[in-house]
C-alpha cells in the first residue's frame, strides 16, 4: 500500500476489524486516539494540518451512525459540523475521503432493492443527518467514496446484536418484525469491503462516488434474530427464548426505520470487484468475540 492511511475511530468494532484485516496484508493505519470529548472541528483541523495522510477513513462516529438505539439531535448537529470541516480539510490537503453512510437515507417505500441512482428520502433524524453529510461531502470534496451500508452487526454490548441477546436473556421472549427487509452485514465483512476499495484507490484509480454494500441474502429482523440465537446456543448455554413475529407498523421505530431497506450492490461489484458474502457465515466470529468481551 503506497498511500498513507488514516483511520478515525480505530477503537470501535469496525475500526478494530479493519486494523486486524489490514495487518494480515501488511496494510497499516495511522489511528490517532480521539480527544476526551471526541473529534470536533478544532481537533480535526489540528490533526490533518499536522499529519496530512493520503487517504482518510472516517469511522469517528460509527457507533452513533450504525449501532446506537437513539442519538440526540445536538450530537448529530455537532457531527455534521465536524464532517463538513473534515471534507474541507481533505479537499485542501488533497486527501481521499472514505465516508460510510447508510440505507437509512431511503424511506423504505419501495419493495425492490435501492440502487445508488434512487432518490434519497430519509425518514428519521439519523437518516436525515447522514444524508446532509453525504451532500456536504459531494459538494466540497470531489475525491470521495461514500459507502452506504445495510444492517451493520458488530460485537459491542450496546449494539444491535448485543441488545438482542440481552433482551433474550432477560425477557425470554422477543418480538421481531417479519415484514421489514434489509441486508445484514457483519463488521468483518464491511472491513473486507473497505480494504478492497482502498486497494483500488491505491492504484490511482479515480473511482469516486457513492456505492452500496450489504450482505448476500436480503432478509427480515425475525430471521436474523433466529439465526443469531441459534448460533449463540452453539457457543454457550442460553435460556429458552420464544421469537414472535411483529408487524413493522407496530414497532416503536416504525416512523424512523425504513420498512424496505434492501441495497442493490451491482455497482460496487462492477467497479471494485467486491462480491457480497453471506451474512450468516459472519455470525460465529462475531458472537465468539461478543461472549469473550462479555
Amino acid at each position: 500500500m503506497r498511500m498513507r492511511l488514516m483511520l478515525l475511530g480505530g477503537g470501535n468494532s469496525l475500526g478494530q476489524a479493519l486494523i486486524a484485516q489490514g495487518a494480515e496484508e501488511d496494510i497499516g493505519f495511522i489511528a490517532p486516539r480521539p480527544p476526551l470529548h471526541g473529534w470536533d472541528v478544532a481537533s480535526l483541523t489540528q490533526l490533518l494540518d499536522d499529519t496530512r495522510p493520503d487517504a482518510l477513513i472516517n469511522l469517528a462516529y460509527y457507533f452513533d451512525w450504525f449501532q446506537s438505539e437513539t442519538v440526540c439531535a445536538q450530537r448529530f448537529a455537532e457531527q455534521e459540523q465536524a464532517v463538513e470541516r473534515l471534507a474541507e480539510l481533505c479537499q485542501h490537503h488533497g486527501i481521499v475521503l472514505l465516508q460510510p453512510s447508510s440505507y437509512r437515507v431511503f424511506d423504505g417505500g419501495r419493495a425492490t432493492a435501492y440502487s445508488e441512482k434512487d432518490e434519497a428520502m430519509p425518514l428519521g433524524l439519523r437518516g436525515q443527518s447522514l444524508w446532509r453529510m453525504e451532500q456536504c461531502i459531494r459538494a466540497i470534496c470531489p475525491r470521495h467514496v461514500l459507502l452506504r451500508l445495510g444492517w451493520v452487526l458488530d460485537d459491542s454490548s450496546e449494539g444491535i446484536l448485543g441488545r438482542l441477546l440481552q433482551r433474550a436473556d432477560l425477557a425470554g421472549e422477543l418480538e421481531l418484525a417479519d415484514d421489514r427487509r434489509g441486508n445484514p452485514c457483519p463488521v468483518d465483512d464491511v472491513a473486507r469491503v473497505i480494504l478492497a476499495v482502498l486497494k483500488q484507490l491505491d492504484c490511482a484509480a479515480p473511482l469516486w462516488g457513492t456505492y452500496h454494500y450489504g450482505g448476500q441474502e436480503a432478509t427480515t429482523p425475525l430471521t436474523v434474530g433466529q439465526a443469531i440465537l441459534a448460533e449463540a446456543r452453539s457457543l454457550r448455554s442460553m435460556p429458552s427464548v420464544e421469537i414472535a413475529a411483529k408487524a413493522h407498523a407496530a414497532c416503536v421505530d416504525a416512523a424512523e426505520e425504513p420498512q424496505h431497506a434492501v441495497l442493490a450492490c451491482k455497482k460496487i461489484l462492477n467497479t471494485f470487484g467486491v462480491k457480497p458474502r453471506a451474512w450468516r457465515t459472519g455470525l460465529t466470529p462475531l458472537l465468539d468475540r461478543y461472549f469473550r468481551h462479555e
Side-chain angles (χ1 to χ4, degrees), residues 236-290:
R236 58 165 280 184
S237 176
M238 291 190 65
S240 177
V241 180
E242 292 187 13
I243 301 181
K246 187 175 186 177
H248 165 79
C251 296
V252 295
D253 61 352
E256 296 193 351
E257 185 71 14
Q259 180 174 5
H260 301 288
V262 178
L263 298 178
C265 303
K266 289 183 180 179
K267 183 181 177 183
I268 198 167
L269 171 61
N270 294 336
T271 306
F272 294 104
V274 173
K275 295 181 180 180
R277 284 187 180 172
W279 56 268
R280 294 173 186 269
T281 62
L283 293 183
T284 299
L286 207 62
L287 285 162
D288 182 63
R289 291 199 302 267
Y290 173 81

Short mmCIF file of all heavy atoms in Angstrom, two decimals, residues 236-290:
data_model
loop_
_atom_site.label_atom_id
_atom_site.label_comp_id
_atom_site.label_asym_id
_atom_site.label_seq_id
_atom_site.Cartn_x
_atom_site.Cartn_y
_atom_site.Cartn_z
N ARG A 236 -22.65 -21.26 23.70
CA ARG A 236 -22.79 -21.21 25.15
C ARG A 236 -24.23 -21.57 25.53
O ARG A 236 -25.13 -21.55 24.70
CB ARG A 236 -22.45 -19.83 25.71
CG ARG A 236 -23.28 -18.70 25.15
CD ARG A 236 -23.16 -17.44 25.95
NE ARG A 236 -24.01 -17.47 27.13
CZ ARG A 236 -24.15 -16.46 27.98
NH1 ARG A 236 -23.48 -15.34 27.78
NH2 ARG A 236 -24.94 -16.55 29.02
N SER A 237 -24.42 -21.89 26.80
CA SER A 237 -25.75 -22.22 27.28
C SER A 237 -26.59 -20.96 27.39
O SER A 237 -26.14 -19.94 27.93
CB SER A 237 -25.65 -22.90 28.66
OG SER A 237 -26.94 -23.14 29.19
N MET A 238 -27.79 -21.03 26.87
CA MET A 238 -28.69 -19.88 26.90
C MET A 238 -30.09 -20.33 27.27
O MET A 238 -30.49 -21.47 26.97
CB MET A 238 -28.74 -19.19 25.53
CG MET A 238 -27.46 -18.48 25.14
SD MET A 238 -27.72 -17.48 23.66
CE MET A 238 -28.90 -16.25 24.27
N PRO A 239 -30.86 -19.47 27.94
CA PRO A 239 -32.24 -19.83 28.28
C PRO A 239 -33.09 -19.97 27.02
O PRO A 239 -32.78 -19.40 25.98
CB PRO A 239 -32.71 -18.64 29.13
CG PRO A 239 -31.82 -17.51 28.74
CD PRO A 239 -30.50 -18.12 28.42
N SER A 240 -34.16 -20.71 27.14
CA SER A 240 -35.07 -20.87 26.02
C SER A 240 -35.75 -19.54 25.71
O SER A 240 -36.19 -18.83 26.61
CB SER A 240 -36.13 -21.93 26.35
OG SER A 240 -37.06 -22.04 25.30
N VAL A 241 -35.81 -19.22 24.43
CA VAL A 241 -36.37 -17.93 24.00
C VAL A 241 -37.41 -18.17 22.92
O VAL A 241 -37.16 -18.88 21.95
CB VAL A 241 -35.27 -16.99 23.47
CG1 VAL A 241 -35.89 -15.66 23.04
CG2 VAL A 241 -34.19 -16.77 24.50
N GLU A 242 -38.58 -17.58 23.09
CA GLU A 242 -39.61 -17.63 22.06
C GLU A 242 -39.53 -16.36 21.21
O GLU A 242 -39.46 -15.25 21.74
CB GLU A 242 -40.99 -17.72 22.70
CG GLU A 242 -41.26 -19.04 23.41
CD GLU A 242 -42.70 -19.16 23.88
OE1 GLU A 242 -43.52 -18.33 23.44
OE2 GLU A 242 -42.99 -20.05 24.69
N ILE A 243 -39.52 -16.55 19.91
CA ILE A 243 -39.46 -15.41 18.99
C ILE A 243 -40.79 -15.33 18.25
O ILE A 243 -41.21 -16.28 17.59
CB ILE A 243 -38.31 -15.55 18.00
CG1 ILE A 243 -36.97 -15.66 18.74
CG2 ILE A 243 -38.28 -14.36 17.06
CD1 ILE A 243 -35.77 -15.77 17.83
N ALA A 244 -41.45 -14.19 18.38
CA ALA A 244 -42.75 -13.99 17.74
C ALA A 244 -42.63 -12.94 16.64
O ALA A 244 -41.83 -12.01 16.74
CB ALA A 244 -43.78 -13.55 18.77
N ALA A 245 -43.44 -13.11 15.62
CA ALA A 245 -43.45 -12.15 14.51
C ALA A 245 -44.22 -10.88 14.93
O ALA A 245 -45.21 -10.94 15.66
CB ALA A 245 -44.10 -12.77 13.29
N LYS A 246 -43.73 -9.76 14.44
CA LYS A 246 -44.36 -8.47 14.74
C LYS A 246 -44.40 -7.65 13.47
O LYS A 246 -43.46 -7.66 12.67
CB LYS A 246 -43.56 -7.74 15.83
CG LYS A 246 -44.20 -6.47 16.35
CD LYS A 246 -43.38 -5.91 17.50
CE LYS A 246 -44.06 -4.72 18.16
NZ LYS A 246 -43.29 -4.22 19.33
N ALA A 247 -45.47 -6.93 13.27
CA ALA A 247 -45.59 -6.10 12.08
C ALA A 247 -44.69 -4.88 12.18
O ALA A 247 -44.51 -4.32 13.26
CB ALA A 247 -47.04 -5.65 11.88
N HIS A 248 -44.13 -4.47 11.05
CA HIS A 248 -43.29 -3.27 11.02
C HIS A 248 -44.04 -2.07 11.61
O HIS A 248 -43.48 -1.31 12.40
CB HIS A 248 -42.88 -2.96 9.58
CG HIS A 248 -42.34 -1.59 9.38
ND1 HIS A 248 -41.05 -1.23 9.70
CD2 HIS A 248 -42.93 -0.46 8.89
CE1 HIS A 248 -40.85 0.05 9.42
NE2 HIS A 248 -41.97 0.54 8.92
N ALA A 249 -45.29 -1.92 11.24
CA ALA A 249 -46.07 -0.76 11.69
C ALA A 249 -46.24 -0.73 13.21
O ALA A 249 -46.47 0.34 13.79
CB ALA A 249 -47.44 -0.76 11.02
N ALA A 250 -46.12 -1.89 13.86
CA ALA A 250 -46.30 -1.96 15.31
C ALA A 250 -44.99 -1.74 16.07
O ALA A 250 -45.00 -1.66 17.30
CB ALA A 250 -46.89 -3.31 15.70
N CYS A 251 -43.88 -1.64 15.37
CA CYS A 251 -42.57 -1.45 16.02
C CYS A 251 -42.42 0.01 16.47
O CYS A 251 -42.91 0.93 15.81
CB CYS A 251 -41.44 -1.81 15.06
SG CYS A 251 -41.40 -3.55 14.58
N VAL A 252 -41.73 0.21 17.57
CA VAL A 252 -41.58 1.55 18.13
C VAL A 252 -40.78 2.47 17.20
O VAL A 252 -40.92 3.69 17.27
CB VAL A 252 -40.92 1.51 19.52
CG1 VAL A 252 -41.82 0.81 20.52
CG2 VAL A 252 -39.57 0.80 19.45
N ASP A 253 -39.94 1.90 16.35
CA ASP A 253 -39.12 2.71 15.47
C ASP A 253 -39.68 2.79 14.05
O ASP A 253 -38.97 3.19 13.12
CB ASP A 253 -37.68 2.16 15.43
CG ASP A 253 -37.62 0.74 14.90
OD1 ASP A 253 -38.68 0.12 14.70
OD2 ASP A 253 -36.49 0.24 14.70
N ALA A 254 -40.93 2.43 13.86
CA ALA A 254 -41.51 2.37 12.52
C ALA A 254 -41.48 3.72 11.80
O ALA A 254 -41.37 3.77 10.57
CB ALA A 254 -42.95 1.86 12.59
N ALA A 255 -41.55 4.80 12.55
CA ALA A 255 -41.57 6.13 11.92
C ALA A 255 -40.19 6.54 11.41
O ALA A 255 -40.09 7.45 10.56
CB ALA A 255 -42.09 7.17 12.91
N GLU A 256 -39.14 5.89 11.90
CA GLU A 256 -37.78 6.29 11.53
C GLU A 256 -37.03 5.22 10.73
O GLU A 256 -36.08 5.53 10.03
CB GLU A 256 -36.97 6.63 12.78
CG GLU A 256 -37.49 7.82 13.54
CD GLU A 256 -36.50 8.32 14.57
OE1 GLU A 256 -35.49 7.62 14.80
OE2 GLU A 256 -36.72 9.40 15.14
N GLU A 257 -37.44 3.98 10.87
CA GLU A 257 -36.73 2.87 10.24
C GLU A 257 -37.41 2.49 8.92
O GLU A 257 -38.61 2.19 8.91
CB GLU A 257 -36.71 1.66 11.17
CG GLU A 257 -35.91 0.48 10.67
CD GLU A 257 -34.42 0.71 10.69
OE1 GLU A 257 -33.96 1.67 11.33
OE2 GLU A 257 -33.71 -0.08 10.06
N PRO A 258 -36.69 2.49 7.79
CA PRO A 258 -37.30 2.08 6.52
C PRO A 258 -37.79 0.64 6.57
O PRO A 258 -37.07 -0.24 7.04
CB PRO A 258 -36.14 2.23 5.52
CG PRO A 258 -35.17 3.16 6.17
CD PRO A 258 -35.29 2.91 7.64
N GLN A 259 -39.00 0.43 6.09
CA GLN A 259 -39.53 -0.93 6.09
C GLN A 259 -38.80 -1.80 5.06
O GLN A 259 -38.49 -2.96 5.32
CB GLN A 259 -41.02 -0.93 5.79
CG GLN A 259 -41.62 -2.34 5.78
CD GLN A 259 -43.13 -2.35 5.63
OE1 GLN A 259 -43.74 -1.30 5.43
NE2 GLN A 259 -43.74 -3.52 5.73
N HIS A 260 -38.55 -1.24 3.90
CA HIS A 260 -37.81 -1.95 2.86
C HIS A 260 -36.46 -1.25 2.68
O HIS A 260 -36.41 -0.12 2.19
CB HIS A 260 -38.60 -1.97 1.55
CG HIS A 260 -39.94 -2.62 1.68
ND1 HIS A 260 -40.10 -3.98 1.83
CD2 HIS A 260 -41.19 -2.08 1.71
CE1 HIS A 260 -41.38 -4.27 1.94
NE2 HIS A 260 -42.07 -3.14 1.87
N ALA A 261 -35.39 -1.93 3.07
CA ALA A 261 -34.07 -1.29 3.09
C ALA A 261 -33.03 -2.13 2.37
O ALA A 261 -31.85 -2.08 2.69
CB ALA A 261 -33.64 -1.05 4.54
N VAL A 262 -33.45 -2.92 1.39
CA VAL A 262 -32.51 -3.77 0.65
C VAL A 262 -31.70 -2.89 -0.31
O VAL A 262 -32.26 -2.07 -1.03
CB VAL A 262 -33.25 -4.86 -0.13
CG1 VAL A 262 -32.27 -5.71 -0.94
CG2 VAL A 262 -34.06 -5.73 0.83
N LEU A 263 -30.38 -3.08 -0.30
CA LEU A 263 -29.49 -2.32 -1.16
C LEU A 263 -29.01 -3.17 -2.33
O LEU A 263 -28.58 -4.32 -2.15
CB LEU A 263 -28.27 -1.83 -0.37
CG LEU A 263 -28.55 -0.88 0.80
CD1 LEU A 263 -27.25 -0.53 1.51
CD2 LEU A 263 -29.27 0.38 0.34
N ALA A 264 -29.07 -2.62 -3.54
CA ALA A 264 -28.51 -3.28 -4.71
C ALA A 264 -27.01 -3.03 -4.73
O ALA A 264 -26.56 -1.90 -4.57
CB ALA A 264 -29.15 -2.72 -5.98
N CYS A 265 -26.22 -4.09 -4.93
CA CYS A 265 -24.76 -3.99 -4.79
C CYS A 265 -24.04 -4.22 -6.12
O CYS A 265 -22.86 -4.62 -6.13
CB CYS A 265 -24.27 -4.99 -3.75
SG CYS A 265 -25.04 -4.79 -2.12
N LYS A 266 -24.72 -4.00 -7.24
CA LYS A 266 -24.09 -4.25 -8.55
C LYS A 266 -22.97 -3.26 -8.85
O LYS A 266 -21.95 -3.62 -9.45
CB LYS A 266 -25.16 -4.16 -9.64
CG LYS A 266 -26.14 -5.32 -9.66
CD LYS A 266 -27.12 -5.21 -10.82
CE LYS A 266 -28.08 -6.39 -10.81
NZ LYS A 266 -29.07 -6.28 -11.93
N LYS A 267 -23.13 -2.02 -8.46
CA LYS A 267 -22.14 -1.01 -8.81
C LYS A 267 -20.80 -1.30 -8.14
O LYS A 267 -19.75 -1.20 -8.79
CB LYS A 267 -22.64 0.38 -8.40
CG LYS A 267 -21.69 1.51 -8.80
CD LYS A 267 -22.22 2.87 -8.36
CE LYS A 267 -21.24 3.98 -8.69
NZ LYS A 267 -21.72 5.31 -8.21
N ILE A 268 -20.80 -1.68 -6.87
CA ILE A 268 -19.54 -1.95 -6.18
C ILE A 268 -18.90 -3.22 -6.71
O ILE A 268 -17.67 -3.35 -6.74
CB ILE A 268 -19.76 -2.01 -4.65
CG1 ILE A 268 -18.43 -1.84 -3.92
CG2 ILE A 268 -20.45 -3.30 -4.21
CD1 ILE A 268 -18.58 -1.57 -2.44
N LEU A 269 -19.71 -4.17 -7.18
CA LEU A 269 -19.18 -5.38 -7.81
C LEU A 269 -18.53 -5.04 -9.15
O LEU A 269 -17.40 -5.46 -9.43
CB LEU A 269 -20.31 -6.39 -8.02
CG LEU A 269 -19.97 -7.63 -8.86
CD1 LEU A 269 -18.86 -8.45 -8.20
CD2 LEU A 269 -21.21 -8.49 -9.07
N ASN A 270 -19.22 -4.26 -9.97
CA ASN A 270 -18.69 -3.93 -11.29
C ASN A 270 -17.49 -3.00 -11.23
O ASN A 270 -16.62 -3.05 -12.11
CB ASN A 270 -19.79 -3.28 -12.14
CG ASN A 270 -20.92 -4.23 -12.45
OD1 ASN A 270 -20.74 -5.45 -12.43
ND2 ASN A 270 -22.11 -3.70 -12.70
N THR A 271 -17.43 -2.15 -10.20
CA THR A 271 -16.35 -1.16 -10.11
C THR A 271 -15.14 -1.69 -9.36
O THR A 271 -14.00 -1.55 -9.81
CB THR A 271 -16.86 0.11 -9.41
OG1 THR A 271 -18.03 0.59 -10.08
CG2 THR A 271 -15.80 1.20 -9.43
N PHE A 272 -15.37 -2.30 -8.21
CA PHE A 272 -14.27 -2.75 -7.35
C PHE A 272 -14.11 -4.27 -7.30
O PHE A 272 -13.19 -4.77 -6.65
CB PHE A 272 -14.47 -2.22 -5.92
CG PHE A 272 -14.37 -0.73 -5.81
CD1 PHE A 272 -15.51 0.05 -5.66
CD2 PHE A 272 -13.14 -0.09 -5.85
CE1 PHE A 272 -15.43 1.42 -5.53
CE2 PHE A 272 -13.04 1.28 -5.73
CZ PHE A 272 -14.19 2.05 -5.58
N GLY A 273 -14.99 -5.01 -7.96
CA GLY A 273 -14.91 -6.46 -7.91
C GLY A 273 -15.30 -7.04 -6.57
O GLY A 273 -14.93 -8.18 -6.25
N VAL A 274 -16.06 -6.29 -5.77
CA VAL A 274 -16.46 -6.74 -4.44
C VAL A 274 -17.75 -7.56 -4.55
O VAL A 274 -18.79 -7.03 -4.92
CB VAL A 274 -16.67 -5.55 -3.49
CG1 VAL A 274 -17.26 -6.02 -2.17
CG2 VAL A 274 -15.36 -4.82 -3.25
N LYS A 275 -17.66 -8.83 -4.19
CA LYS A 275 -18.83 -9.71 -4.21
C LYS A 275 -19.46 -9.77 -2.83
O LYS A 275 -18.73 -9.93 -1.83
CB LYS A 275 -18.43 -11.11 -4.66
CG LYS A 275 -17.92 -11.20 -6.08
CD LYS A 275 -17.55 -12.63 -6.44
CE LYS A 275 -17.05 -12.72 -7.88
NZ LYS A 275 -16.68 -14.11 -8.24
N PRO A 276 -20.77 -9.68 -2.74
CA PRO A 276 -21.43 -9.81 -1.43
C PRO A 276 -21.19 -11.20 -0.84
O PRO A 276 -21.20 -12.20 -1.58
CB PRO A 276 -22.91 -9.59 -1.75
CG PRO A 276 -22.93 -8.86 -3.05
CD PRO A 276 -21.74 -9.37 -3.81
N ARG A 277 -20.99 -11.26 0.46
CA ARG A 277 -20.83 -12.52 1.16
C ARG A 277 -22.07 -12.81 1.99
O ARG A 277 -22.77 -11.90 2.42
CB ARG A 277 -19.61 -12.48 2.08
CG ARG A 277 -18.30 -12.62 1.33
CD ARG A 277 -17.14 -12.76 2.29
NE ARG A 277 -15.87 -12.90 1.59
CZ ARG A 277 -14.69 -12.88 2.18
NH1 ARG A 277 -14.61 -12.72 3.49
NH2 ARG A 277 -13.59 -13.02 1.47
N ALA A 278 -22.31 -14.08 2.22
CA ALA A 278 -23.46 -14.49 3.03
C ALA A 278 -23.28 -14.01 4.47
O ALA A 278 -22.26 -14.31 5.09
CB ALA A 278 -23.61 -16.01 2.99
N TRP A 279 -24.24 -13.27 4.98
CA TRP A 279 -24.10 -12.69 6.31
C TRP A 279 -24.08 -13.75 7.40
O TRP A 279 -23.47 -13.54 8.47
CB TRP A 279 -25.22 -11.69 6.57
CG TRP A 279 -26.61 -12.23 6.42
CD1 TRP A 279 -27.38 -12.21 5.29
CD2 TRP A 279 -27.41 -12.88 7.41
NE1 TRP A 279 -28.60 -12.78 5.51
CE2 TRP A 279 -28.66 -13.21 6.80
CE3 TRP A 279 -27.21 -13.20 8.75
CZ2 TRP A 279 -29.68 -13.85 7.50
CZ3 TRP A 279 -28.23 -13.84 9.45
CH2 TRP A 279 -29.44 -14.17 8.83
N ARG A 280 -24.70 -14.88 7.16
CA ARG A 280 -24.75 -15.94 8.19
C ARG A 280 -23.36 -16.45 8.55
O ARG A 280 -23.11 -16.81 9.70
CB ARG A 280 -25.61 -17.10 7.71
CG ARG A 280 -27.09 -16.77 7.52
CD ARG A 280 -27.82 -17.93 6.89
NE ARG A 280 -29.21 -17.61 6.56
CZ ARG A 280 -30.23 -17.80 7.39
NH1 ARG A 280 -30.02 -18.34 8.58
NH2 ARG A 280 -31.46 -17.48 7.02
N THR A 281 -22.45 -16.48 7.57
CA THR A 281 -21.10 -17.01 7.83
C THR A 281 -20.31 -16.11 8.77
O THR A 281 -19.32 -16.54 9.34
CB THR A 281 -20.32 -17.19 6.52
OG1 THR A 281 -20.17 -15.91 5.88
CG2 THR A 281 -21.05 -18.12 5.57
N GLY A 282 -20.74 -14.87 8.91
CA GLY A 282 -20.02 -13.95 9.78
C GLY A 282 -20.49 -13.95 11.22
O GLY A 282 -19.92 -13.26 12.07
N LEU A 283 -21.55 -14.70 11.54
CA LEU A 283 -22.12 -14.66 12.89
C LEU A 283 -21.23 -15.33 13.93
O LEU A 283 -21.12 -14.86 15.06
CB LEU A 283 -23.50 -15.30 12.89
CG LEU A 283 -24.61 -14.57 12.11
CD1 LEU A 283 -25.93 -15.30 12.28
CD2 LEU A 283 -24.72 -13.12 12.56
N THR A 284 -20.59 -16.46 13.57
CA THR A 284 -19.80 -17.20 14.56
C THR A 284 -18.65 -16.38 15.12
O THR A 284 -18.53 -16.25 16.36
CB THR A 284 -19.27 -18.52 13.96
OG1 THR A 284 -20.39 -19.32 13.57
CG2 THR A 284 -18.46 -19.29 14.98
N PRO A 285 -17.77 -15.79 14.30
CA PRO A 285 -16.69 -14.97 14.89
C PRO A 285 -17.22 -13.76 15.64
O PRO A 285 -16.64 -13.34 16.65
CB PRO A 285 -15.85 -14.56 13.68
CG PRO A 285 -16.71 -14.79 12.48
CD PRO A 285 -17.62 -15.90 12.83
N LEU A 286 -18.33 -13.21 15.17
CA LEU A 286 -18.93 -12.05 15.84
C LEU A 286 -19.39 -12.43 17.25
O LEU A 286 -19.08 -11.74 18.23
CB LEU A 286 -20.11 -11.57 15.00
CG LEU A 286 -20.52 -10.11 15.08
CD1 LEU A 286 -19.41 -9.22 14.61
CD2 LEU A 286 -21.77 -9.89 14.22
N LEU A 287 -20.11 -13.52 17.35
CA LEU A 287 -20.63 -13.97 18.65
C LEU A 287 -19.50 -14.44 19.56
O LEU A 287 -19.55 -14.24 20.78
CB LEU A 287 -21.65 -15.09 18.45
CG LEU A 287 -23.01 -14.61 17.91
CD1 LEU A 287 -23.80 -15.77 17.33
CD2 LEU A 287 -23.81 -13.92 19.02
N ASP A 288 -18.49 -15.07 18.98
CA ASP A 288 -17.35 -15.50 19.77
C ASP A 288 -16.68 -14.31 20.46
O ASP A 288 -16.37 -14.35 21.65
CB ASP A 288 -16.35 -16.25 18.89
CG ASP A 288 -15.17 -16.77 19.69
OD1 ASP A 288 -15.38 -17.61 20.57
OD2 ASP A 288 -14.04 -16.34 19.43
N ARG A 289 -16.48 -13.24 19.72
CA ARG A 289 -15.88 -12.02 20.31
C ARG A 289 -16.82 -11.40 21.33
O ARG A 289 -16.39 -10.93 22.38
CB ARG A 289 -15.54 -11.01 19.21
CG ARG A 289 -14.41 -11.43 18.30
CD ARG A 289 -13.81 -10.25 17.57
NE ARG A 289 -14.78 -9.53 16.77
CZ ARG A 289 -15.01 -9.75 15.47
NH1 ARG A 289 -14.37 -10.74 14.85
NH2 ARG A 289 -15.87 -9.02 14.81
N TYR A 290 -18.12 -11.39 21.01
CA TYR A 290 -19.08 -10.81 21.94
C TYR A 290 -19.05 -11.52 23.29
O TYR A 290 -18.99 -10.87 24.35
CB TYR A 290 -20.49 -10.89 21.35
CG TYR A 290 -21.58 -10.47 22.32
CD1 TYR A 290 -21.86 -9.13 22.54
CD2 TYR A 290 -22.29 -11.42 23.07
CE1 TYR A 290 -22.84 -8.74 23.45
CE2 TYR A 290 -23.26 -11.04 23.96
CZ TYR A 290 -23.54 -9.69 24.15
OH TYR A 290 -24.49 -9.31 25.06
#
